[in-house]
């Protein structure tokens, strides 16, 4: 696949790595990044050799969530977060996906990683569900997947407070994911991918389908509820002011 900001390549037999590498925009959901992500998972779906996917970023950034332009478009009623349905790509992927979140994961960028089957965090990086910092309620399935993956108490705290948490902080809070030094994240992901690639592809697909079916079935209802909350919260003048101010800083 040829896309300047998303690289998709088979790094070993049966293992595909998707790398988000928009250095100019720090892996925010630009049109190019969104299109590249969708194309990457379409390519994976057509690859009958693929048994495991590693989703990662570059340097200090995994994925930084929405752009100012994208958020303002939603505020003004010119778009919805469902227009670019990238948040559930890992969930809908037939084979297991490992989110190697070696760098900062912000807002929807963190949510994208949590929809993977396996999550690996970096001790140095910042993880945040920053939606409420802008004054609007969370979307992209965050209200479901964050408490489900992190536990209700910590998930509620992250969603409500919109605070920043280092991977080391989350490790102390007992998150059920490996939290390792940034330099070790990819090695850990590759070890896991190799273990998965040893298994028969049909068995991996069948087991994943069974395990994540409740999430796939529940998610559309959650998205409807989040959209309804956005109608109440996203179009307030204060939200526009917060978006402009926070991106300006």
């Amino acid at each position: 696949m040829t896309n300047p900001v998303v690289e998709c390549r088979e790094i070993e037999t049966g293992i595909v790595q998707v790398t988000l590498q928009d250095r100019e925009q720090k892996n925010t959901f630009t049109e190019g990044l969104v299109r590249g992500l969708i194309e990457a998972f379409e390519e994976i779906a057509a690859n009958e050799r693929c048994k495991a996917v590693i989703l990662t970023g570059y340097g200090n950034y995994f994925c930084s969530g929405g752009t100012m332009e994208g958020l303002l478009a939603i505020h003004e009623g010119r778009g919805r977060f469902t227009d670019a349905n990238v948040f559930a790509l890992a969930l809908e992927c037939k084979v297991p996906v490992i989110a190697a979140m070696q760098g900062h994961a912000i807002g929807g960028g963190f949510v994208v990683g949590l929809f993977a089957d396996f999550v690996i965090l970096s001790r140095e990086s910042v993880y945040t569900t920053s939606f409420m910092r802008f004054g609007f309620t969370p979307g992209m399935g965050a209200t479901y997947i964050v408490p489900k993956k992190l536990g209700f108490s910590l998930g509620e705290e992250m969603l409500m407070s919109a605070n920043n948490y280092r991977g080391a902080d989350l490790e102390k809070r007992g998150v059920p994911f490996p939290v390792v030094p940034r330099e070790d994240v990819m090695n850990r992901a590759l070890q896991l991918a190799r273990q998965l690639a040893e298994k028969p592809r049909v068995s991996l697909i069948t087991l994943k389908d069974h395990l994540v079916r409740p999430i796939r079935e529940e998610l559309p209802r959650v998205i409807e509820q989040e959209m309804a909350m956005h109608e109440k919260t996203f179009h307030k003048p204060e939200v526009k002011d917060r978006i402009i101010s926070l991106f300006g800083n």
Side-chain angles (χ1 to χ4, degrees):
M1 190 186 85
T2 56
N3 182 296
V5 296
V6 179
E7 180 186 57
C8 179
R9 63 188 179 95
E10 190 167 350
I11 58 173
E12 293 185 8
T13 302
I15 301 173
V16 173
Q17 180 172 317
V18 178
T19 306
L20 311 181
Q21 51 188 16
D22 188 347
R23 296 175 182 271
E24 182 177 350
Q25 300 296 329
K26 297 181 179 178
N27 283 351
T28 51
F29 290 138
T30 61
E31 182 180 343
L33 190 88
V34 168
R35 183 174 62 251
L37 260 174
I38 292 171
E39 290 173 353
F41 277 91
E42 287 175 347
E43 184 174 308
I44 289 165
N47 182 348
E48 296 185 356
R49 297 184 307 276
C50 183
K51 295 183 177 182
V53 177
I54 298 174
L55 176 63
T56 193
Y58 75 90
N60 295 346
Y61 289 92
F62 174 71
C63 187
S64 299
T67 64
M68 181 174 74
E69 294 75 16
L71 296 180
L72 288 176
I74 297 175
H75 165 74
E76 295 166 3
R78 295 184 287 109
R80 297 180 173 186
F81 70 83
T82 53
D83 292 342
N85 187 7
V86 297
F87 54 91
L89 287 173
L91 176 68
E92 296 301 332
C93 184
K94 292 189 292 185
V95 298
V97 178
I98 303 162
M101 291 199 266
Q102 88 308 326
H104 309 314
I106 301 167
F110 186 46
V111 175
V112 164
L114 291 183
F115 273 110
D117 303 285
F118 303 93
V119 175
I120 303 171
L121 303 181
S122 154
R123 290 194 181 120
E124 301 93 329
S125 298
V126 170
Y127 304 100
T128 176
T129 52
S130 53
F131 307 92
M132 290 285 280
R133 201 176 304 163
F134 295 95
F136 58 83
T137 49
M140 301 184 72
T143 59
Y144 177 76
I145 203 64
V146 174
K148 185 171 185 64
K149 289 293 184 78
L150 299 177
F152 182 80
S153 294
L154 177 58
E156 184 180 37
E157 178 185 315
M158 290 189 74
L159 291 169
M160 285 278 193
S161 71
N163 286 337
N164 293 339
Y165 298 78
R166 293 278 179 185
D169 301 325
L170 295 176
E171 184 178 27
K172 291 176 183 176
R173 298 288 296 271
V175 292
F177 315 128
V179 183
V180 300
R182 178 177 292 138
E183 61 186 13
D184 295 336
V185 169
M186 280 305 301
N187 287 336
R188 189 70 173 263
L190 188 54
Q191 289 174 8
L192 176 55
R194 286 169 175 162
Q195 292 172 356
L196 294 169
E198 294 173 353
K199 313 301 188 294
R201 175 177 153 89
V202 66
S203 296
L204 289 169
I205 292 173
T206 301
L207 181 56
K208 172 170 177 173
D209 182 63
H210 171 75
L211 291 173
V212 305
R213 184 177 296 129
I215 302 176
R216 289 172 175 167
E217 292 175 350
E218 185 73 8
L219 189 58
R221 184 183 66 84
V222 173
I223 297 301
E224 286 184 9
Q225 293 172 338
E226 290 181 345
M227 296 286 284
M229 288 193 291
H230 276 187
E231 288 301 314
K232 294 180 180 179
T233 65
F234 219 121
H235 308 299
K236 303 295 184 183
E238 178 187 2
V239 169
K240 180 178 181 179
D241 294 341
R242 284 173 176 257
I243 292 170
I244 294 172
S245 174
L246 286 168
F247 273 93
N249 292 332

